[in-house]
C-alpha cells in the first residue's frame, strides 16, 4: 500500500487550534466575552427579593429566593420535569407554569406536581447588597 494514500493524523498545538478557530468565525471569543460579561453583572439587588418569597430572573436563567431574612438561595430557573422556565414564586414555592411542578424556596426540592428532581443550586456571592453568580 502506498503510504501517501493513507491519511496521517495531523499534529496541532494549542496555538494551532486557536489560530485555526479564528478562521471559523468569532463564535468562540464572542461566547467567552458574553460569559465574562454575564459573570460580572449583578443578577439582582438583595432588597428586591422578598422575605419568604423570590424572584425569577429569566434573562439570567435563575430564580433567587430569600426563605428567611438575610438567607438567600439561587437555583436554575429550568424546571427539572420537562425543561420549561419556572414562572413565579408564590406561597413559598417556585412554580412552573407548564405542568404545575412546585419547588421549595429554601431547598429547591419538588413539593408538588410531576417533577421528581430538585432545581439545581447555583453558586453566588453577595457584594454591596447585590447577588452575583460565581
Amino acid at each position: 500500500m502506498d503510504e501517501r494514500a493513507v491519511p496521517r493524523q495531523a499534529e496541532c498545538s494549542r496555538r494551532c487550534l486557536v489560530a485555526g478557530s479564528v478562521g471559523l468565525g468569532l463564535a468562540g471569543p464572542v461566547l467567552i466575552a458574553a460569559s465574562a460579561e454575564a459573570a460580572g453583572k449583578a443578577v439582582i439587588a438583595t432588597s428586591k427579593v422578598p422575605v419568604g418569597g423570590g424572584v425569577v430572573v429569566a434573562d439570567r436563567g435563575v430564580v433567587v429566593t430569600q426563605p428567611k431574612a438575610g438567607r438567600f438561595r439561587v437555583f436554575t430557573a429550568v424546571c427539572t420535569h420537562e425543561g420549561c422556565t419556572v414562572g413565579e414564586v408564590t406561597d413559598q414555592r417556585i412554580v412552573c407554569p407548564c405542568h404545575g411542578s412546585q419547588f421549595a424556596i429554601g431547598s429547591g426540592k419538588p413539593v408538588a406536581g410531576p417533577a421528581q428532581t430538585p432545581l439545581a443550586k447555583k453558586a453566588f456571592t453577595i457584594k454591596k447588597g447585590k447577588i452575583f453568580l460565581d
Side-chain angles (χ1 to χ4, degrees):
M1 177 180 238
D2 184 2
E3 287 185 60
R4 290 175 289 162
V6 178
R8 293 180 21 186
Q9 185 173 3
E11 291 182 26
C12 191
S13 66
R14 185 172 65 190
R15 182 177 297 145
C16 169
L17 287 173
V18 170
S21 67
V22 171
L24 297 175
L26 296 176
V30 170
L31 290 176
I32 292 168
S35 250
E37 181 181 320
K41 183 178 174 188
V43 174
I44 193 167
T46 57
S47 62
K48 301 284 185 185
V49 183
V51 176
V55 178
V56 177
V57 186
D59 66 326
R60 297 298 296 277
V62 297
V63 57
V64 180
T65 65
Q66 186 176 189
K68 294 181 181 180
R71 301 208 182 230
F72 296 89
R73 304 287 184 268
V74 180
F75 303 99
T76 179
V78 178
C79 179
T80 58
H81 175 240
E82 287 200 7
C84 293
T85 300
V86 296
E88 66 179 334
V89 181
T90 186
D91 297 324
Q92 296 195 358
R93 293 181 175 190
I94 302 164
V95 181
C96 180
C98 293
H99 302 105
S101 291
Q102 297 179 15
F103 304 87
I105 64 170
S107 65
K109 291 181 181 178
V111 293
Q116 299 294 307
T117 306
L119 295 174
K121 294 177 183 177
K122 295 286 198 174
F124 68 96
T125 54
I126 298 174
K127 297 176 192 169
K128 297 182 181 180
K130 294 181 182 179
I131 295 177
F132 294 83
L133 295 178
D134 290 342

